[in-house]
Amino acid sequence: MIRLLRAPFRPVTYSRWLHLCVPVLLLALWMFINPRAPWVPLLIVIPFGLVPWVRLAEGLQAQFLLTPQDRDGGEGLIGGAPSARWADRWRTVLWLEIRLVVAGAAMFATVWLPVQAIELTTIALGHPLSSDLAAAFTPPRWAAALLVPVPLLLLVLIVVLLGELITTIARRLLGPSAAERLTALEARTEQLLERTRIARELHDSIGHALTVAVVQAGAARAAGDPEFTDRALSAIEETGRAALEDLERVLLVLRESAQQPSQRPTLMEADRLLESARASGAEVDARLTGPLEKLPGPVTREGYRILQEALTNVLRHCGPVPVRVRVDMAAGRLELEVTNPLPERPSVTRGGGSGLRGMRERAALLGGEAETGLHGGGWRVCARLPLERIP
């Protein structure tokens, strides 16, 4: 009821009214040609509905007049594309037929109801009805005065209801089919997954570089030793250069450039992560065993990122503490473990926990698992990545 009361004050009510009146132009034109066969326009629109671009025109018109509020949503339910299949063409034909019928009903109400209001006004004023006005009944003058607003209110009600009806039909017949909606959903899901992957790459790479730079700069300032400062600057330079390479690769993907991006780092390059942690003051006890060069591409790349994030978290939250790193190729899987003691003082910096979630997501994408948490009085990151189950 509240919605009906607000309808006369909503612009969409009148844009839908206009949409209902547009097909009447075809009906009016035909009535001049042959008023005895008003059903012929229903046959005339059939071949037009089979033209692919008619669906595009009808969809755009429906978007602007029926659902103008949805045009900025990006995922409007009314389509704006030509017919791609015969099913779309026949749906367009059905839409044109229904639109003509609903338009005829809307135009009849638009003409007949105001005439009734004029008749009631004439009766209420005590004037005789002209020959062009033929009232169904002649009420008393006082009753006619009370009934004058009724046809106009009824007209608004009919226009609102027919507008809602034609909008619902447009969403069904001009909107995407179930298969098209599924395809769009899959494309949107792929886009979101790609954005998540890129965000994870930036978090791991840039976050590691900034963490190393902060720790190195703080240690160099506290030490006051020119030789140590020189080593710290060298570590910051090397880590920053690697981060810039990763950033360039991600930006190339975002720009959809034809240029091939550089390869993502693998566990064969784990030494630079270990040396970076050592240069930041951490005592790293590392043991990497097995033919790491034979690891599948996804496993060695994701393993590198997990190791990078684990070392970054150590430097970020614990500072230069002893770190134990173990990377082993067991039966059919890669096992990666990073452990470190917890410091007595508060964390160096605080994060939002997205790095831990990112490690678990990386492992899960490969069918493995990653565990993080307290272990033996310290902190442990343990990841197990299968070598066979690669997506």
Side-chain angles (χ1 to χ4, degrees):
M1 179 61 68
I2 297 177
R3 188 175 183 180
L4 291 176
L5 294 176
R6 292 178 179 176
F9 306 100
R10 298 176 60 205
V12 70
T13 299
Y14 302 97
S15 66
R16 289 176 177 177
W17 197 348
L18 176 60
H19 185 273
L20 291 170
C21 294
V22 170
V24 179
L25 298 175
L26 176 61
L27 295 174
L29 179 62
W30 178 256
M31 293 303 290
F32 280 107
I33 299 174
N34 188 357
R36 296 183 178 180
W39 49 268
V40 173
L42 295 175
L43 300 178
I44 295 177
V45 299
I46 293 178
F48 287 96
L50 298 178
V51 178
W53 290 99
V54 171
R55 182 177 182 82
L56 172 61
E58 290 292 322
L60 293 176
Q61 186 182 139
Q63 286 181 15
F64 278 95
L65 296 179
L66 297 181
T67 59
Q69 70 279 2
D70 293 343
R71 286 188 291 135
D72 298 331
E75 298 180 2
L77 296 179
I78 298 181
S83 300
R85 301 172 303 172
W86 277 103
D88 295 333
R89 299 182 184 184
W90 288 116
R91 290 168 68 199
T92 306
V93 171
L94 181 59
W95 158 255
L96 293 176
E97 299 287 348
I98 295 177
R99 187 181 178 188
L100 278 176
V101 174
V102 177
M107 183 51 59
F108 177 79
T110 301
V111 174
W112 186 75
L113 289 174
V115 169
Q116 296 301 310
I118 294 174
E119 292 179 354
L120 293 172
T121 303
T122 302
I123 296 172
L125 294 176
H127 297 303
L129 296 177
S130 65
S131 58
D132 295 332
L133 300 178
F137 67 98
T138 305
R141 292 180 59 183
W142 64 269
L146 295 176
L147 293 175
V148 168
V150 174
L152 300 180
L153 294 176
L154 186 59
L155 174 60
V156 174
L157 176 62
I158 292 176
V159 168
V160 172
L161 294 179
L162 290 181
E164 293 286 347
L165 175 63
I166 200 66
T167 302
T168 302
I169 295 174
R171 295 183 192 275
R172 295 293 301 273
L173 297 180
L174 295 180
S177 63
E180 291 170 337
R181 285 194 294 268
L182 180 60
T183 301
L185 180 60
E186 290 176 349
R188 177 64 175 167
T189 302
E190 289 293 331
Q191 182 183 19
L192 291 176
L193 289 175
E194 181 65 14
R195 289 175 59 183
T196 302
R197 186 188 67 80
I198 291 175
R200 196 162 50 224
E201 290 288 318
L202 287 176
H203 172 274
D204 292 349
S205 178
I206 307 303
H208 174 76
L210 292 177
T211 299
V212 170
V214 169
V215 173
Q216 290 280 5
R221 183 178 60 180
D225 183 0
E227 183 178 353
F228 182 84
T229 301
D230 184 66
R231 291 198 305 270
L233 291 176
S234 298
I236 293 174
E237 179 184 7
E238 181 180 354
T239 306
R241 186 179 295 109
L244 285 176
E245 292 177 359
D246 288 340
L247 181 61
E248 179 185 3
R249 175 181 53 79
V250 173
L251 290 179
L252 286 174
V253 174
L254 290 175
R255 294 168 182 163
E256 298 182 351
S257 172
Q259 181 180 355
Q260 292 294 328
S262 58
Q263 294 294 324
R264 294 168 55 191
T266 66
L267 280 176
M268 293 297 296
E269 304 171 62
D271 287 343
R272 74 177 187 180
L273 292 178
L274 302 176
E275 291 302 323
S276 177
R278 292 190 180 102
S280 299
E283 298 179 9
V284 181
D285 174 18
R287 188 186 69 190
L288 286 73
T289 59
L292 300 182
E293 70 279 359
K294 296 182 180 181
L295 286 173
V299 173
T300 187
R301 289 191 293 266
E302 298 304 328
Y304 178 92
R305 290 304 187 194
I306 293 175
L307 176 60
Q308 182 182 53
E309 180 60 23
L311 293 175
T312 300
N313 285 340
V314 173
L315 297 175
R316 178 182 300 163
H317 300 291
C318 302
V321 297
V323 184
R324 181 175 179 271
V325 177
R326 294 292 183 267
V327 179
D328 301 313
M329 288 183 60
R333 66 181 181 181
L334 174 71
E335 294 187 355
L336 187 152
E337 184 181 72
V338 179
T339 57
N340 63 276
L342 295 176
E344 297 180 357
R345 59 186 178 85
S347 302
V348 176
T349 59
R350 298 185 182 274
S354 58
L356 301 181
R357 183 175 62 250
M359 286 190 285
R360 290 191 290 267
E361 290 174 352
R362 289 182 183 277
L365 287 175
L366 297 176
E369 59 181 357
E371 300 174 356
T372 60
L374 298 176
H375 179 76
W379 186 267
R380 183 181 72 161
V381 173
C382 182
R384 302 176 185 86
L385 307 180
L387 304 182
E388 299 295 335
R389 186 182 171 187
I390 306 300

